[in-house]
Amino acid sequence: TERLLEGRKTPEPLLIVDLGIPAQVDGRLRPSIGECADLEVLQNASSRSLVASWADLAHVRQRVTQAVAELEAFCRERNLTQLLRSTQERHQRYIQVEIPRLLGAAFPELEQGLRAKLESELKGLVRDYTNGVFGDIKALFRSEED
């Protein structure tokens, strides 16, 4: 809306590319505030007269490409965050529930000291495995950022 754009620092009109479905930008912007192009305007070759003030659309393409890259990075980060969270939850379940349950069922007569040592070793294996998964995921995310 005009109200949101009036407080900006740069005085020249903005070129606003609205890729939202439905449109997210008020189409009644004063020309001194900004000029809006939505998907229909960008796709319609006969609309070039509506955007005659644009020397070409290269700057629009550049901004759209940048915005798409930012959205992809955001989505990858969210997916990786969910993967890290579910891996952590699985790790906790194995450490706190599955290993003690397995040892209790498989070796009910095992002496307490020996059972504690075996449980500790198994938990260490799970911890090492989980840390490796976390490291691989974080390295993958860092390499995609570069």
Side-chain angles (χ1 to χ4, degrees):
T1 64
E2 282 194 17
R3 194 188 84 210
L4 291 171
L5 297 174
E6 285 176 339
R8 63 192 169 76
K9 292 182 174 34
T10 56
E12 62 273 350
L14 291 176
L15 170 60
I16 302 166
V17 180
D18 186 352
L19 301 177
I21 301 174
Q24 303 294 304
V25 177
D26 185 348
R28 300 169 291 173
L29 293 176
R30 288 177 295 170
S32 62
I33 298 283
E35 187 173 5
C36 181
D38 59 17
L39 291 172
E40 187 176 332
V41 169
L42 292 173
Q43 290 176 339
N44 188 351
S46 65
S47 301
R48 288 295 285 196
S49 61
L50 296 174
V51 289
S53 63
W54 305 348
D56 62 66
L57 293 177
H59 62 294
V60 175
R61 286 188 201 96
Q62 180 183 4
R63 292 297 303 269
V64 169
T65 300
Q66 178 185 354
V68 168
E70 289 170 4
L71 177 63
E72 288 174 344
F74 172 77
C75 292
R76 277 194 310 272
E77 184 176 336
R78 285 191 60 164
N79 289 339
L80 288 175
T81 299
Q82 180 56 41
L83 179 59
L84 290 169
R85 186 178 298 119
S86 64
T87 301
Q88 180 64 28
E89 289 168 359
R90 194 172 297 115
H91 169 86
Q92 290 300 322
R93 184 176 45 115
Y94 275 86
I95 293 291
Q96 296 172 1
V97 176
E98 298 299 331
I99 290 175
R101 182 194 58 75
L102 172 70
L103 290 176
F107 307 106
E109 298 89 22
L110 193 60
E111 185 265 317
Q112 186 59 33
L114 194 51
R115 179 179 171 157
K117 182 172 174 37
L118 183 56
E119 185 173 319
S120 175
E121 292 292 326
L122 290 172
K123 287 179 178 182
L125 288 174
V126 171
R127 196 174 298 99
D128 289 346
Y129 176 81
T130 304
N131 288 339
V133 170
F134 283 157
D136 291 345
I137 291 170
K138 290 176 182 177
L140 175 66
F141 187 64
R142 280 192 301 271
S143 71
E144 287 183 0
E145 287 177 341
D146 298 337

